[in-house]
Structure formats: structure tokens, C-alpha cells
Amino acid sequence: MNREKLTPMMQQYLDVKDENPDAILFFRLGDFYEMFFDDALLASRELEITLTKRDAGLEEKAPMCGVPYHVASGYISKLINKGYKVAICDQMEDPKFAKGIVKREVTQIITPGTFTDTEYLKSDLNNYLLSIFIHGYSLNLTYSDYSTGEIYFTEKTFLSKSELYNFLQDEIDRISPNEILLNDEVTSKFKEKIKRDNIFLNPYLSDNLREINLFKDLGEYFSKNFKENLKNFLLSNNISDYTSLKKILQYLVVTQKINLKHINNIKLYNNFDYLILDESSKRTLEVVKGLNTFSKKGSLLDVLDKCSTSMGSRKLKKWVESPLVNLNKIYERQNLIEAFTKDLLLQDKLEKILKEVYDIERLVVKISNGSVNPREVYSLKNTIVNSKKIKEILEIYKNDYLNSLAREFIDLSDIYEKIDALLIENPPVVIEENRIIKEGYSEDLDELFKIATEGKNWLLDFENKERERTGIKKLKIKHNKILGYFIEVTKSFLDEVPDDYIRKQTLVGSERFFSVELKDMEGKLLGSKERALTLQAEIYNGLKDYIAVEIYRIQILADKLSNLDSILSLAKVSNLNNYVRPDFNQEGFIEIKNGRHPIVETYMKDEFFVPNDTFIDTDKHMIHIITGPNMAGKSTYMRQVALITIMAHIGSFVPCDSANISLVDRIFTRIGASDNLSKGQSTFMVEMQEVADIIDNATAKSLLILDEVGRGTSTFDGLAIANAIIEYIAENIKAKTLFATHYHELVHLEEKYDSVENLTIAVDRQDDEIIFFRKIIKGFTNNSYGIDVAKLAGIDDTIINRAKEVLYVIEKENEDISIDLNKEYIREENHNPEIMNFIDKLKEINILEISPMEAFNLLNEIVNKSKELQ
Ligand code: ADP
Ligand code: MG
């Protein structure tokens, strides 16, 4: 493209575009944001808006499309949700007064990880931006929700490369950021992997992230408070490198182009502080997303979230995704939950107040950038009042835990009073010409508004007076933007117009005049109104500045409110679903009496959920091999144990009659490939990769849930692998393990290892129908009941009967080659030597050769034998 030929405006456009090559540029032209060239092609397609052309000075016209500025936010959010960045280029001067081309500048770059539009953000989800810095065998991570000002940092040193990338993957799965900043040392293989999840990647090397000095170059953007915190944070935590933190702050400054007063506090976290749930475990246990719904519905979080505020829902999600491993912290939550479960009225009372609480956590970004509107400030005031009510209720309650919770609610009366003194009740969202400042707050303002109102009355009087004086009944005083105030007289009365009226405008049916008296008043009126609005804006800005200084305290209150809301939600669910408070032990066992699956039980309507006991330890009951037919309830049982363990670590109460849990460091859940079809990863390879990950990472303090592992390949090698894995766990990892399998051949391992125990789920056959008892018992089953389940599923009898014939033959044949290592357990039913002899005898008979009498005798013998055997 020959740039010299371009029109000056197009040159300006391209200069701005050059600075923001990776963003779609919204270029303000009058009442529209326009896009040109490739951006226009892309945006018109993604937003389904018409593509037009504009003369750019070149031979060919430039592709163009645009959206009206006042509805731009909807289009922007659409692009952000599709994973694009949008740079907003505004007019920096009024085009009316511009000399030459209007000055334009990029005022904000909106990116997937910095998007804050509360109208389009999901209220119960955080929107995270993650920054990754890998250096040799160390890494540090920082992630932040710009809308709330949260910042979290962690550092790891001396990791092996595989540990490093495993950790990184786990963190990305846990945080699920919408955008990532990363340095060049991150391998391209890993980058490719994240890109597949549609996360926007920004290399540290990009122009936006050039080297800076956080304290010097960016210092002016942050509050003093934050700079102090940051220095203390770096010193007191012995942090050796914090590049990821620098880059994230820099990126926020560069994209938002405003100061960041709401970023106040950095939290150091360590993954040792949490029970680690990798992506696969989180998914199969349906911790925050249902397997079938791909949304919150059907998940543990869905069961537990009865929060009254979005702040609470976001907090609870963090708790559920990062269960605790510190007993004292767990007890803290338990104590509060217990107090609340004992008083439903108290729950109710607090809930009602919380429902009136505003999302002040997400308000802070607006307070910080000055865009907070009067309605929102008013909501802040009400939230302070409501928090005070909550504090008072908790203070006087006869319970030490609730009393200390009350003390955490800090006092924001000063902010309340400041707002209350000047802001009217129920103010409008937009100020424009509305009055939002209380009468009595400012004498000057009252006076100016008084003149404006009095002016209105004067005009009415003036109209009456002039009608009487001139005798023109239809004389009217009107106002428009161009003429100001004027007197309107219809054509038929023109003769009666007095001499002192001065003609201003002639219309088809009427004439417009003004008089000296009217002109004088107009001057006073417009002047006072303008001054009133300016003064009002000044007062309101003063209020905003005042609040902006107090953001830190507002954030503390938001944190306490969301904690309370989450605790209340857990208490409410405990009451609702009959949960109990779990105990904890140091001996490493998990004992559950009458445990239930927290999600499945809530979806049972006509049937009852059958509760089951669990005892699993690090000694004689370490590895449980669970056999039983399809549909018996193996998977449900194992997940229930994992979920109850997770809930206990969250600090929640749990679905059972009693539970005694020991802390675990990780929970691994693996589902055999063919059970995992829904994710489209049905390959045996994935199954084995996941197992490899367990072997690498599991410790004696982990809980392993292995469901039909070894299933994705042929029977014999699947069995061989499953067998070898259990042996490895028993001999090397020594982790508490539940292993469901259809390979009943594996039950022999109980003999080989003290730590292995066989469990099965009771079923019975009655009248050729299979009955599921859903009860877990000691022992094993050597029958898969596959054909019974098929029959239950409604498969035609012809097929069922034929399958039985085929099965018989196969089982018979396999007996001889059956696996050597478990001879004494296999096919117990048919092991009865008497039956075997009898069957062998039958096989020798040649039907064509025997006489009818011999056949009759044989049949008789069969009947008797079978009676005898029953
Ligand atoms: P398996 O893994 O043995 O094939 P599942 O655990 O998938 O069996 O359970 C099959 C079905 O049985 C589930 O859909 C569930 O609704 C029901 N189920 C499982 N356990 C119970 C229980 N304890 N009480 C009632 N229903 C149950
Ligand atoms: Mg199963």
C-alpha cells in the first residue's frame, strides 16, 4: 500500500493501527466506531454487520464497517468473548473546534483477561489474566482479576522440567485464565497446548511489555499503599524473582491507560496450601462442572452454592476448587458452619440482608477509574448499612466464633456518612440535567438550582402576563436549543403583536419573537443552570475522589461479606441435605458411615439413594479392588468417597451419618478410556498418559480413584496392565486406592498383598432378572452379568439367548488358557468338579446315535442333577 497517497485521516488510522497490531481497532468517527481493512473484514464476519467501503485515497476503496458508539459495548463484549482484543481509539478534541484533522488516541485496550463490563461478565465467575515466567528450573506465576483488583503470586524453584510443566498445567486448569502473558522460555509445545483451549497469548517480548522499572516508570499509576505492600511483600517472602508480577502490572497499565487504585494487596500462595485436583480429576468428579452439562449444573459447586451474592458465589468457587490442607483453617470454617446450622432463623435473617448487598468487589474498578455512577455509589452506601446490620447481629449472638467473625467486619461509617450527607435517595444512573446532591449540602448549589426553578415560574407568569397585555390567547413561551427562549404567535394574531417584540424567525403558520425582558431572564436562567450542573459535578467528583482513597477498606469489607455468604451457603446446604461435621485423624484412615454421593442423591426422585460405608487406610485396607456388574454402582461409590473427602477439606459438612477423614495431598481420578467417550478422548493413549501422571505424582498421602483402568485395550493386555499398576501401588506408592474393574481375575491380588482388599456390590438374580442392591460388601464377583444388563436394557430375547450360548462356549474354551496367576479364583461357579464331570459326560454324547429311551433317561438324569445342585 502506498501510504503517501492515503487521505490524512487514513494515515492517522494506520499510524494508530501500527501501534496496536494484535487488536481490532475501533476508530471513532463522529457517532460511530469504524473499522477498516482486515479488521473490517474480520469484524463484519464475527459481528454480522454490513461491510461497506470508504475512499482512502487509494485506487481501490478500503473495506469498512462500523457500530454506533452508544451501543459499542455489546459488540466489544462479543469480540472479547470470541477471544479478540479491541483497542478503543477516541477523539481527543471536539471536531467542531479542531484545526485540521481531529486528534485521536487509544484510550483503552480491552482484552479477554482485562474485560470488566459487568453487564457482560458472568457474575459468579472471576475473569483471570495469568502471567508466566519460566527461567531455567524455576518459575513464577501471577494472576489477577482486574475487575476486582485481586492479585496472586507464587514462585517455584529447583523443579525438574516435567515437574515444572506439570505444575504449570495444573495451575492453568485450576485458574482457567482467559488470557496469558508469557516469556520466551515457555516451550512452543506447551504454547500450542494452551492455544488449543482458546486462551489469548501475549509474549513478554511484544511491544506492550517492554522492560520497565516497576517502582520508577510505573510508580505513578499505583497507590502509595500498594507500593508499600509490594515492597514488604517482596522482602518478607524472600522472593527471588517476580518478573511475572512486574509484567502483569505493566500490562494492566499499558492496556487500561489509567491508574490502578483498586490493586492493593498481593497474596502469596503455595500449591502446598491446597489439596491438588488436576483437570482430569476435577472433570470426572464434576467438581465445578457437570460432565454432561458442561456447565455448573450437575456439579458439586452447584449443590453447595446457595449464596445470596455473586461475590459469595465467586468466593465459594475458589474454596471448592482449592480445598484446604491446613486443619486449623478447616476447623475455622467448620466452627462457623456449625454455629449457623444450629439456628435457621439466624441464617434466614442474614440471608435477607445479604440479598440487599451490592457487588462492591466489582465496583472497585469503577471507583478506581472514576466511572462509578450515582446509583452505584448509593448501592455502596446501602451495602455499608447492611454490613453494619450484619455485624450487629453477629456481635450480640452468644457464640465466640460468630463474635470474632463480627470483629472482622470493618467499620466504614465515615464513607457512609460522606455519601449520605450529599447524595439524594435513589439517585439516577446518569447525572446529565438531574439533581443528585441533597438540598442543604451546598448553599451555592441550592441557590443556583433555586434560580433555575424560580426562572421556570417566572416564565409561566411572563406567559400569562403577555397574554393579558396583548390579548393574544394562544401566545406561547417556548424553548429550543438554537433560539433559546422565544415568544410564539400564530399567523392569525400577527396584527396584535406589540412593538417591543423583536422578530426572530418566521415559520409557515407562526412567527417567533423575543423581548428584552425575556432575553435578560434567559441569560440568568441558562447561566445558573450551567453553573449548577458544573458545581454539582464538582461535588460529585469530590465524593468519588474521597471514596477512591478508601478502596482498600471497601475491598476488605467485600472479602468479609463474601466469606460470610459462602459459609452461610455451606450451612444452609448442610441443613437441607442432612450433612454432618466430619472429624479428622492423624492415623491416615478414612472412615465413612452411610456415605452418600452429594450430587447423585440430589437428582434421585423416585428412588432412594442407598448409603454405603467406607473404611480405607494405609495398612490392611489400603487398596480396594471393586468388582461387580455394570450398573451396580461402582463408579458412583468411588466418586462418593472422593467427593466426601474433598468436601471435608473445603471445610464443608458431608453427606453421611459420620465421617473421620485424614488429610490427603492430592486426589487422582482416572476413568478407563471407554468410559471417557464424552470428552472425545477415547484413546487408550490418553488413559495411559493419565496413569503415568499418577505414577509420577502420587504419594502415600494421596487418594487414588481408578475406574476400569486398562479397559481401552484388548482383554489380556488390559488385564496385565491393571494387574501391574495395582502391584506398583501396593509396593511403591502405598496410596489409598479404590480400583473398580471388570477384570475379576484381579481379585487374586488380595492373597498376594496384605494391603489389598476385595469389595463388590451386591446383586442378585431373581426369575432371570438382575436386581441391584447398591450395597458395597466384602468379597468379589466373578460374573459380569453383562447379558443380564443387556436384557434389562431391552435387547431382544433372540439376541440374549444366542449371547448366552456364545458366552458358554467362550468361557468353556478360556478355562484352559485362563490366567495362571489366579487359577484358584477364576470362574468359581463352574468350578464344582461334579458339574464339570457331568458337563464333560454330556459333551461326549452323540445325539444322532442314542436311542429314544437313552435320551429320555439322560434328560431325567439332567433334571435330577440340577435339582440336587441347587
Ligand atoms: P457402575 O460403575 O458399577 O457401572 P454406576 O456407578 O455407573 O455403576 O451406577 C449406575 C447407576 O446406578 C447410576 O446411574 C446411579 O443412578 C445408580 N446408583 C449407583 N449407586 C447408587 C446408590 N448407592 N443408590 C442408588 N442408586 C445408585
Ligand atoms: Mg462405572
Side-chain angles (χ1 to χ4, degrees), residues 630 634-636 639 675 707-708 711:
N630 238 319
K634 301 182 296 296
S635 302
T636 308
R639 289 174 204 200
D675 264 16
D707 197 348
E708 313 265 11
R711 185 177 188 152

Side-chain angles (χ1 to χ4, degrees), residues 200-253:
F200 199 105
L201 298 188
N202 303 273
Y204 279 180
L205 288 175
S206 66
D207 283 350
N208 284 341
L209 292 168
R210 257 164 301 174
E211 206 45 50
I212 45 98
N213 181 322
L214 191 51
F215 290 99
K216 242 182 150 179
D217 306 344
L218 294 182
E220 59 182 300
Y221 289 94
F222 300 102
S223 68
K224 243 172 95 188
N225 189 5
F226 176 72
K227 279 183 275 182
E228 282 303 305
N229 278 344
L230 184 59
K231 275 184 193 144
N232 290 338
F233 175 82
L234 296 173
L235 285 176
S236 59
N237 292 307
N238 239 328
I239 287 161
S240 55
D241 186 298
Y242 61 103
T243 308
S244 64
L245 173 64
K246 265 201 303 206
K247 291 296 175 189
I248 214 166
L249 293 174
Q250 182 181 3
Y251 188 70
L252 290 178
V253 168

Side-chain angles (χ1 to χ4, degrees), residues 595-597 600 604 607-612 628-640 675 707-708 711 740 761 772-775:
R596 309 178 316 263
H597 190 298
V600 174
M604 307 268 290
E607 295 166 86
F608 283 109
F609 189 88
V610 180
N612 270 307
N630 238 319
M631 284 299 286
K634 301 182 296 296
S635 302
T636 308
Y637 173 74
M638 295 196 302
R639 289 174 204 200
Q640 146 188 333
D675 264 16
D707 197 348
E708 313 265 11
R711 185 177 188 152
I761 301 199
F772 296 110
F773 294 118
R774 314 262 182 241
K775 264 292 174 201

Side-chain angles (χ1 to χ4, degrees), residues 492-556:
S492 43
F493 294 99
L494 277 185
D495 292 347
E496 273 136 272
V497 168
D499 290 345
D500 54 340
Y501 279 17
I502 303 153
R503 193 182 308 256
K504 215 169 189 179
Q505 195 180 29
T506 306
L507 300 181
V508 181
S510 60
E511 293 273 325
R512 290 170 169 180
F513 305 90
F514 61 96
S515 72
V516 178
E517 214 180 349
L518 183 62
K519 208 69 217 159
D520 277 356
M521 194 57 200
E522 182 186 83
K524 270 194 209 166
L525 257 178
L526 295 182
S528 61
K529 184 148 197 190
E530 212 160 90
R531 271 181 290 148
L533 293 179
T534 315
L535 183 55
Q536 171 164 277
E538 265 169 33
I539 296 172
Y540 183 62
N541 287 339
L543 176 66
K544 286 198 291 192
D545 289 345
Y546 179 91
I547 300 171
V549 175
E550 304 299 332
I551 283 181
Y552 189 34
R553 289 164 63 215
I554 296 171
Q555 285 172 320
I556 295 177

Side-chain angles (χ1 to χ4, degrees), residues 418-437:
K418 188 86 185 173
I419 301 171
D420 188 55
L422 67 83
L423 196 65
I424 59 164
E425 298 298 306
N426 299 309
V429 175
V430 287
I431 309 178
E432 283 177 1
E433 309 222 326
N434 298 309
R435 176 151 196 190
I436 58 158
I437 308 292

Side-chain angles (χ1 to χ4, degrees), residues 800-817:
I800 298 291
N801 291 334
R802 174 65 187 143
K804 281 184 183 167
E805 283 173 22
V806 175
L807 177 69
Y808 176 79
V809 176
I810 294 173
E811 286 188 339
K812 191 79 205 73
E813 276 177 0
N814 272 334
E815 218 147 80
D816 308 328
I817 56 159

